[in-house]
Amino acid sequence: MADLLGATNPVPGYDNSITNNRNLPLSPDSTLVQNVPDPNRVVRPDGKTEQQDSSAQDGSLIRYDSNFQTFLQRLREAPGLAAGMLRLFAGREGTVVLSGLSEGIAKELSQALEMLRMDESQMMEFITGQVRSGTRFSGALFALLRGAYNRAGSEGVRQDILQFLRSYSDYSSTAHIEGNLLRNLDGMARAMPASWGDKLRELTAILENGIAAGDRKGNLELLRQRVFPFMSSYVNHTHDLGLSRSLLSLLTLDVARYENGSLENLLETFHRLSSYGTLKGQLGGIDDKALLNLLEKNGSFSKAGKAGPQEQTPAVRFAEHLSAAAARALRGEGSAEVQEIFQNLVKSMLVNESVYMPVNHFILPMEMDGRMLFSEFWVDPDAEDEEGRKGGGGRGTVSKFLFKLDIQSLGMFDIVLAHRDQEVDIRIACPSQVAPFSREIERAVSQILVDNGLKPVGVTVRKMERPVALTEVFPKIFEGKNSINVKV
């Protein structure tokens, strides 16, 4: 009779071989025994690791083991900014031609397109405008602090310098942070049931009035004593772990920056710096009023968004029109193709403005000789020379540039330029249709350098086999691997 209970059949996972292996003794040093994570001590190595398996070839996995590794992954996957912009614009009598554009997007792009017709002086103003509005740490004060940071022998001095810079960064971003607070609260209210959302909108209206009155202290008290307890009660009652709770996390970060950027905190961190003997002689004579005047004088970054249309630089006006078009597209206007282009543009800009990017990034869109030209370029003003010596080993600072140009009807160019003193080395990778004219281009570029008082030490033009990777030109991007990488 058949054994219906299957008592004589081996149970999967419990065969004799496994049973025999169970009797094998395990020593305390065996890597088969995995350690319990203990952040307070260093334990022996075992087979357990929190490092993410990055063997996936398609790069689809989102890294969770390191912020810096996430940045590198996104840098590899970032689409070309210049190619995307060329798909959006076409210079034909001020029109924009791309199927799927909504009326609002087309209007914004047309206004941006009008600003691309520029001569040499306007082009220089466009670039310098990006430099001025793209950094908030310019001027004599920050140059002094930068030098003091490099010379500091105490870690405490460096930490206090960084804390002052963080405080100033948040102070100069007050308008942006306040806008984030209101937007996040509005998003939270819309994601909540009406009975809770209406109450949160009342608190948001009070906060908006406080922002208009410039009452930062009262705003912080409102957020800490009324908004956060209200949201805590909402989550406890509804167990809502969705959008509202996610926005609450963003709100918490903005509140921390809002508090850190207060005028009182800014002055306190500055006076702490002036108490150090190494800085007292240089900063001790600057009182509160003089400091604020100095920061306001150099604060072109914070004033860029507040300036009127006539006071804004061409770079700022172009960026505003482009961002307005992107906002419309990301809200669902236009075709899927248009939305994809703007998504790629935003991703590319974000990764190039990341805190992990050690080089400066700029864009240069323009119309030249009836052709649209879109270029993005990266600059390292303190690069290493071929022998790895920073700043050229005493022979002058090495500046390195990478240009990626997409020229209408010609294609993509990669230009790597290194400059030290009066010496310039240029390597150009061009499309196949331009390659037959490489000798003529080399002679023309060399002559342009000579006419401008520069010495061409090397000018080469070759057919592009593959696009130049950013990390090939700027290997210092990988320097972040030497620091501690964490994901919270």
Side-chain angles (χ1 to χ4, degrees):
M1 178 178 176
D3 187 357
L4 299 179
L5 296 177
T8 59
N9 296 330
V11 179
Y14 286 89
D15 56 6
N16 293 333
S17 62
I18 294 182
T19 303
N20 294 334
N21 288 336
R22 287 179 177 176
N23 299 325
L24 296 177
L26 286 175
S27 65
D29 296 328
S30 173
T31 58
L32 296 177
V33 179
Q34 297 181 348
N35 296 314
V36 177
D38 186 354
N40 296 319
R41 65 190 183 94
V42 178
V43 296
R44 62 166 174 76
D46 57 16
K48 183 178 181 179
T49 176
E50 280 74 34
Q51 183 173 358
Q52 179 173 343
D53 181 13
S54 58
S55 60
Q57 299 297 322
D58 58 357
S60 58
L61 292 178
I62 298 177
R63 300 196 66 96
Y64 57 80
D65 55 341
S66 165
N67 283 322
F68 183 73
Q69 293 292 347
T70 301
F71 161 73
L72 291 179
Q73 175 181 325
R74 291 176 178 172
L75 184 63
R76 288 192 298 267
E77 298 172 354
L81 177 63
M85 295 183 70
L86 188 60
R87 292 175 62 189
L88 286 176
F89 295 92
R92 287 292 182 272
E93 300 180 358
T95 62
V96 182
V97 289
L98 181 67
S99 60
L101 286 177
S102 68
E103 182 178 353
I105 297 177
K107 181 179 179 181
E108 295 291 349
L109 292 181
S110 296
Q111 292 176 344
L113 181 64
E114 292 298 325
M115 308 185 65
L116 301 186
R117 300 182 177 92
M118 58 184 79
D119 54 24
E120 293 182 4
S121 61
Q122 293 171 327
M123 180 182 68
M124 184 59 63
E125 181 183 1
F126 189 91
I127 296 177
T128 55
Q130 288 187 71
V131 175
R132 289 194 302 268
S133 62
T135 178
R136 65 190 77 185
F137 302 117
S138 60
L141 174 62
F142 296 109
L144 186 152
L145 293 177
R146 190 176 293 110
Y149 182 88
N150 293 329
R151 296 190 304 269
S154 168
E155 188 62 27
V157 177
R158 292 189 173 187
Q159 289 299 325
D160 284 341
I161 291 176
L162 293 177
Q163 181 56 43
F164 170 73
L165 295 178
R166 281 192 290 265
S167 182
Y168 171 68
S169 176
D170 293 336
Y171 171 78
S172 62
S173 302
T174 294
H176 175 71
I177 295 173
E178 290 174 341
N180 281 349
L181 294 174
L182 296 175
R183 281 189 292 271
N184 286 333
L185 287 172
D186 179 67
M188 291 160 59
R190 285 187 282 108
M192 298 163 63
S195 58
W196 292 88
D198 292 342
K199 178 61 177 177
L200 185 59
R201 289 188 181 91
E202 294 178 7
L203 297 176
T204 304
I206 298 175
L207 177 63
E208 191 170 5
N209 292 333
I211 290 175
D215 184 12
R216 185 191 293 258
K217 184 178 180 180
N219 296 337
L220 287 170
E221 290 181 357
L222 173 70
L223 290 164
R224 287 193 294 252
Q225 298 177 11
R226 299 185 64 181
V227 173
F228 284 122
F230 173 79
M231 288 303 301
S232 176
S233 176
Y234 167 73
V235 174
N236 287 334
H237 280 81
T238 64
H239 303 287
D240 184 355
L241 304 181
L243 178 60
S244 296
R245 193 165 182 266
S246 300
L247 292 176
L248 180 60
S249 301
L250 298 178
L251 182 72
T252 305
L253 297 175
D254 284 323
V255 169
R257 293 188 63 196
Y258 195 45
E259 183 175 12
N260 185 59
S262 65
L263 178 60
E264 295 79 8
N265 192 61
L266 176 69
L267 297 176
E268 179 185 349
T269 55
F270 179 77
H271 292 314
R272 192 182 307 141
L273 286 180
S274 59
S275 65
Y276 287 103
T278 55
L279 292 171
K280 189 172 183 179
Q282 298 168 305
L283 302 179
I286 303 179
D287 57 14
D288 294 352
K289 184 177 180 181
L291 173 64
L292 295 178
N293 289 336
L294 187 60
L295 295 177
E296 181 67 21
K297 181 179 179 181
N298 294 323
S300 57
F301 183 96
S302 59
K303 294 184 293 185
K306 302 178 183 179
Q310 300 302 323
E311 301 173 346
Q312 292 175 345
T313 64
V316 172
R317 294 199 298 271
F318 175 82
E320 286 192 346
H321 290 306
L322 187 62
S323 61
R328 288 178 174 272
L330 297 180
R331 285 197 297 262
E333 292 188 23
S335 65
E337 179 189 7
V338 173
Q339 295 177 28
E340 179 186 4
I341 294 175
F342 277 107
Q343 287 174 357
N344 291 337
L345 290 179
V346 172
K347 289 179 182 177
S348 178
M349 289 183 177
L350 288 177
V351 74
N352 281 290
E353 302 304 325
S354 168
V355 294
Y356 295 105
M357 180 65 77
V359 295
N360 298 320
H361 174 252
F362 305 97
I363 62 173
L364 180 59
M366 61 183 300
E367 181 179 343
M368 179 182 297
D369 297 331
R371 285 178 174 160
M372 298 303 301
L373 180 150
F374 290 95
S375 171
E376 57 178 331
F377 60 100
W378 295 263
V379 183
D380 184 0
D382 192 20
E384 295 182 351
D385 62 8
E386 295 296 334
E387 288 75 29
R389 297 171 299 185
K390 194 171 184 179
R395 291 182 51 202
T397 301
V398 178
S399 299
K400 187 173 288 187
F401 300 75
L402 170 61
F403 296 85
K404 284 188 173 290
L405 291 79
D406 199 338
I407 302 178
Q408 186 180 6
S409 75
L410 287 182
M412 181 66 71
F413 291 75
D414 281 344
I415 302 176
V416 180
L417 185 151
H419 170 264
R420 176 172 54 198
D421 295 331
Q422 303 301 315
E423 300 178 349
V424 178
D425 179 84
I426 298 180
R427 289 170 287 166
I428 303 175
C430 63
S432 57
Q433 63 192 78
V434 181
F437 308 96
S438 58
R439 297 302 180 189
E440 291 84 346
I441 297 175
E442 290 175 358
R443 288 192 293 267
V445 172
S446 299
Q447 189 60 47
I448 291 174
L449 295 176
V450 172
D451 293 343
N452 287 273
L454 300 173
K455 179 182 178 182
V457 296
V459 178
T460 59
V461 180
R462 61 173 178 81
K463 177 184 175 182
M464 181 186 294
E465 301 296 337
R466 62 176 179 83
V468 177
L470 187 61
T471 51
E472 294 178 28
V473 182
F474 304 107
K476 67 188 303 181
I477 291 177
F478 291 109
E479 289 181 359
K481 286 185 175 181
N482 298 328
S483 59
I484 299 176
N485 295 311
V486 295
K487 272 272 189 180
V488 179

